């Protein structure tokens, strides 16, 4: 292609009324979005969607695991119900730190390193979770495993959003289908290991101070089921890391590169993605040069055209001195202040934080204590431990349909995101309160299945919508901070629930239900503009 024809093509590309009134950075960002839209849902996008989905899969695979191994852990180590809450809180502390640290890092060092780092952390410390011989050792390792898992949802959603075409954004909500798949896989594997490789229910812990010499007790050798579970999940996490790091090469997000002023690299990424999809990329350096010539006079060089977002810190290379590091840290902290730059964005940010806080409050208690409560309720009506673990699989299967319903309701006129989240959160809370009032095997299974169905539906909409509601340059930070507040509430909610469990079997259910209704109120108060119109699938 001749230089003149390239220039003409560039001018045609940018000649659009939508460009009027935009900054140079915003024009380039819009061009990148249009280019990805024109590529459609190609092979590269499907790879991204599947691998990000595996991050969601690991998130609840591990979170559910601690709920399912709570009973055999108590039998072996002999700790109280309140100490059971400490394990969930330790894991949640790691999740919280992970959501915050990875969420900030993804906008500083890029998507690619964080994409692989979260899973590497998870598989390394996940495998270590099968080795502890004491309650204290378990408390030490659990947060490190949680640290890796904590970054998965905000980072994977951000990466998916920045590569998917706009008419396929419903796939963001469908990422959540991997979460119930993770829970079902967790329950199925636990069903295979724990009932047949755990101590008998009537055996006391060998750590029990009142145990007489020579009396039978729950030994490590007779209680390997939960350890087999941890080793298996560690191996699954390593497989996901292998696929992400060795089999597939993630291209850095062009929107991230653009926000850092690395325009040439952004164009290279678009060309690489187009090559994988067997398409032609229409954006060239001449396209960006033509944009710049419309904003400035004279001839521009590639270095002159590096245009980071005017509101975001740049990433120009400098000598790695301590002063530069401090200055860069301060400039990156300004990114957080952007979330409060307008009254509408401030309201949106605060209400999203409240929603995540009470969402995690509710489902962290449910995930941690519903298996234990169900096991004790079933035991009181003579349901065996094998049947109880089989019931777990039945309970969590409907979550897959819940995600599909949540994703589809977004496109129903007069329902959309807002009423999909309001309806599902109300029904989730109701199911928790009803479970506290009854105790038959059928009702226990049915109400737990109802709770998880609407939990999956709610989170499918929430996780897919959150990054979409914020500007591109801060959406990783916004999603990470929202997840951080949720994880923070999931640290102390199990502590409270554990204390309530010692006094009343149904206490945690009322606590979880109250948190879920808090989500409903926050969703109702969200600014309407942030929830957007019913998306187009054309």
């Amino acid at each position: 292609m001749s230089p003149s024809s390239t220039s003409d093509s560039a001018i045609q590309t940018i000649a659009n009324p939508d460009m009027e009134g935009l900054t140079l950075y915003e024009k380039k960002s819009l061009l990148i979005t249009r280019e990805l839209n024109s590529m459609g849902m190609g092979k590269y996008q499907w790879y991204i969607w599947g691998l990000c989905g595996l991050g969601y899969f690991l998130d609840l695979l591990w979170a559910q695991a601690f709920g399912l191994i709570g009973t055999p852990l108590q039998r072996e180590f002999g700790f109280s119900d309140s100490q059971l809450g400490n394990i969930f809180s330790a894991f949640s502390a790691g999740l919280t730190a992970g959501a915050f640290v990875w969420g900030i890092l993804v906008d500083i060092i890029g998507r690619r390193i964080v994409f692989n780092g979260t899973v590497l952390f998870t598989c390394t410390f996940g495998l270590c979770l099968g080795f502890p011989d004491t309650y204290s050792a378990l408390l030490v390792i659990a947060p490190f495993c949680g640290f890796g898992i904590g970054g998965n949802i905000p980072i994977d959603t951000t990466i998916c959003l920045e590569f998917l075409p706009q008419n396929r954004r419903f796939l963001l909500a469908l990422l959540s289908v991997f979460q119930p798949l993770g829970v079902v896989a967790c329950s199925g594997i636990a069903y295979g290991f724990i009932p047949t490789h755990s101590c008998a229910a009537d055996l006391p812990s060998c750590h029990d101070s009142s145990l007489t010499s020579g009396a039978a007790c729950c030994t490590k050798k007779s209680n390997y089921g939960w350890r087999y579970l941890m080793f298996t999940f560690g191996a699954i996490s390593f497989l996901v890391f292998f696929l992400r790091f060795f089999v597939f090469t993630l291209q850095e997000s062009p929107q991230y590169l653009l926000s850092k002023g690395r325009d040439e690299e952004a164009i290279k990424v678009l060309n690489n993605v187009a090559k994988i999809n067997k398409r032609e990329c229409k954006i060239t350096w001449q396209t960006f040069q033509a944009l710049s010539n419309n904003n400035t006079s004279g001839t521009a060089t590639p270095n002159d055209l590096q245009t980071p977002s005017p509101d975001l810190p740049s990433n120009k290379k400098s000598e790695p001195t301590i002063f530069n590091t401090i200055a860069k840290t301060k400039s990156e902290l300004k990114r957080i202040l952007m979330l409060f730059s307008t009254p509408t964005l401030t309201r949106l940010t605060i209400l999203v934080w409240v929603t995540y806080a009470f969402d995690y409050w509710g489902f962290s208690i449910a995930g941690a204590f519903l298996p234990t409560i169900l096991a004790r309720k079933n035991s009181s009506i003579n349901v065996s431990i094998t049947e109880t673990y089989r019931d777990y699989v039945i309970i969590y299967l409907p979550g897959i349909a819940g995600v599909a319903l949540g994703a589809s309701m977004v496109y129903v006129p007069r329902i959309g995101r807002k009423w999909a989240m309001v309806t599902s959160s109300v029904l989730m809370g109701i199911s928790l309160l009803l479970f506290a009032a009854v105790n038959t095997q059928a009702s226990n299974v049915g109400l737990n299945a109802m709770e998880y169905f609407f939990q999956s539906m709610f989170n499918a909409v929430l996780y897919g919508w959150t990054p979409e509601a914020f500007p591109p340059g801060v959406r990783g930070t916004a999603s990470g901070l929202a997840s951080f507040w949720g994880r923070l509430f999931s640290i102390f909610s199990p502590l409270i629930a554990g204390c309530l469990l010692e006094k009343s079997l149904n206490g945690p259910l009322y606590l979880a239900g109250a948190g879920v209704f808090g989500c409903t109120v926050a969703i109702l108060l969200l600014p309407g503009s942030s929830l957007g119109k019913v998306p187009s699938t054309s």
Side-chain angles (χ1 to χ4, degrees):
M1 183 180 289
S2 66
S4 60
S5 62
T6 301
S7 178
D8 292 341
S9 175
I11 293 172
Q12 291 175 4
T13 301
I14 65 175
N16 192 298
D18 293 342
M19 293 286 188
E20 295 180 6
L22 299 181
T23 64
L24 181 57
Y25 166 77
E26 290 169 336
K27 289 177 181 179
K28 291 179 179 181
S29 179
L30 181 59
L31 281 184
I32 288 175
T33 300
R34 286 178 177 170
E35 181 61 28
L36 289 171
N37 287 341
S38 69
M39 288 185 192
M41 194 67 188
K43 184 187 294 185
Y44 182 85
Q45 280 78 10
W46 282 116
Y47 288 156
I48 286 287
W49 187 80
L51 289 171
C52 287
L54 290 177
Y56 276 64
F57 177 88
L58 291 179
D59 182 80
L60 282 196
L61 179 83
W62 280 103
Q64 189 64 28
F66 283 91
L68 294 180
I69 66 175
T71 299
L73 283 176
Q74 279 189 296
R75 287 177 189 159
E76 180 176 340
F77 298 134
F79 51 80
S80 66
D81 287 339
S82 61
Q83 289 176 304
L84 176 62
N86 292 341
I87 295 176
F88 303 134
S89 292
F91 180 68
S92 292
L95 293 174
T96 305
F100 182 79
V101 173
W102 297 117
I104 297 295
L105 286 178
V106 76
D107 284 329
I108 298 177
I109 64 176
R111 284 42 167 161
R112 187 175 178 177
I113 296 175
V114 174
F115 182 67
N116 294 312
T118 54
V119 185
L120 178 61
F121 234 90
T122 300
C123 68
T124 301
F125 289 98
L127 286 168
C128 293
L129 275 171
F131 293 104
D133 291 331
T134 65
Y135 170 77
S136 298
L138 193 68
L139 285 180
V140 171
I141 300 174
F144 289 97
C145 181
F147 181 80
I149 297 168
N152 278 331
I153 288 180
I155 276 69
D156 293 342
T157 307
T158 298
I159 290 171
C160 242
L161 175 66
E162 293 181 340
F163 279 104
L164 294 185
Q166 287 179 316
N167 64 353
R168 293 294 181 268
R169 291 283 172 85
F170 67 91
L171 289 172
L172 285 173
L174 279 179
L175 277 173
S176 293
V177 78
F178 287 90
Q179 288 187 303
L181 286 174
V183 174
V184 170
C186 175
S187 303
I189 298 170
Y191 178 46
F193 281 135
I194 293 181
T196 54
H197 296 88
S198 296
C199 298
D202 57 348
L203 280 180
S205 168
C206 294
H207 297 270
D208 191 342
S209 58
S210 63
L211 191 69
T212 59
S213 179
C217 62
C218 182
T219 64
K220 175 181 177 180
K221 185 177 180 180
S222 61
N223 201 48
Y224 249 89
W226 69 269
R227 291 182 172 85
Y228 292 147
L229 201 65
M230 297 295 98
F231 292 142
T232 302
F233 292 168
I236 292 173
S237 301
F238 178 77
L239 176 61
V240 174
F241 171 73
F242 181 84
L243 292 173
R244 287 187 173 194
F245 190 77
F246 294 103
V247 177
F248 175 79
T249 301
L250 175 71
Q251 302 291 321
E252 186 54 86
S253 163
Q255 294 285 7
Y256 165 78
L257 293 171
L258 188 66
S259 73
K260 295 295 185 180
R262 295 155 63 180
D263 296 6
E264 285 184 288
E265 294 177 61
I267 294 172
K268 288 179 182 178
V269 167
L270 290 173
N271 279 281
N272 289 337
V273 173
K275 184 177 180 180
I276 294 172
N277 290 342
K278 298 182 179 179
R279 302 288 295 269
E280 182 181 351
C281 178
K282 301 181 184 67
I283 295 181
T284 64
W285 185 254
Q286 286 75 19
T287 309
F288 277 7
Q289 188 175 35
L291 276 176
S292 182
N293 290 338
N294 282 354
N295 284 266
T296 60
S297 59
T299 302
T301 66
N303 288 334
D304 297 328
L305 297 176
Q306 302 298 314
T307 51
S309 165
D311 299 315
L312 296 176
S314 64
N315 197 37
K316 293 181 180 180
K317 293 181 180 179
S318 58
E319 293 300 318
T321 66
I322 184 64
F323 300 105
N324 288 333
T325 301
I326 295 173
K328 184 176 180 180
T329 301
K330 288 181 179 179
S331 67
E332 293 294 346
L333 288 175
K334 293 179 182 178
R335 188 186 309 276
I336 298 176
L337 296 179
M338 281 189 63
L339 298 174
F340 303 93
S341 57
T342 67
T344 299
L345 199 53
T346 299
R347 178 182 169 191
L348 170 66
T349 299
I350 292 173
L351 287 173
V352 166
W353 287 357
V354 171
T355 301
Y356 269 75
F358 284 108
D359 177 40
Y360 279 65
W361 173 286
F363 82 67
S364 63
I365 294 174
F369 290 95
L370 282 184
T372 298
I373 294 172
L374 179 63
R376 293 183 185 182
K377 283 195 170 189
N378 278 354
S379 178
S380 68
I381 55 175
N382 299 318
V383 176
S384 70
I385 188 67
T386 301
E387 286 182 282
T388 298
Y389 274 86
R390 180 209 60 192
D391 288 347
Y392 293 146
V393 179
I394 298 171
I395 286 167
Y396 296 121
L397 273 172
I400 301 170
V403 171
L405 180 61
S408 62
M409 282 185 71
V410 169
Y411 298 92
V412 178
R414 297 187 180 182
I415 295 180
R417 297 170 175 86
K418 179 176 183 178
W419 294 109
M421 288 192 283
V422 167
T423 302
S424 54
S425 60
V426 167
L427 292 174
M428 178 183 168
I430 290 174
S431 64
L432 286 166
L433 299 182
L434 288 176
F435 180 46
V438 298
N439 187 23
T440 65
Q441 187 173 11
S443 63
N444 290 346
V445 172
L447 289 170
N448 274 272
M450 175 181 170
E451 183 277 332
Y452 191 66
F453 176 90
F454 289 112
Q455 175 188 319
S456 300
M457 177 180 167
F458 178 83
N459 288 335
V461 183
L462 179 65
Y463 296 157
W465 161 77
T466 302
E468 194 175 342
F470 293 91
V474 293
R475 59 172 51 126
T477 298
S479 298
L481 285 175
S483 184
F484 163 76
W485 284 108
R487 300 296 191 188
L488 185 64
F489 270 60
S490 69
I491 292 176
F492 58 81
S493 59
L495 296 175
I496 301 172
C499 294
L500 290 176
L501 184 62
E502 288 190 320
K503 299 177 180 179
S504 169
L505 187 62
N506 293 320
L509 301 176
Y510 296 123
L511 188 66
V516 171
F517 289 130
C519 292
T520 307
V521 175
I523 294 296
L524 288 170
L525 295 175
L526 281 170
S529 59
S530 68
L531 293 164
K533 297 178 181 179
V534 175
S536 170
T537 58
S538 60

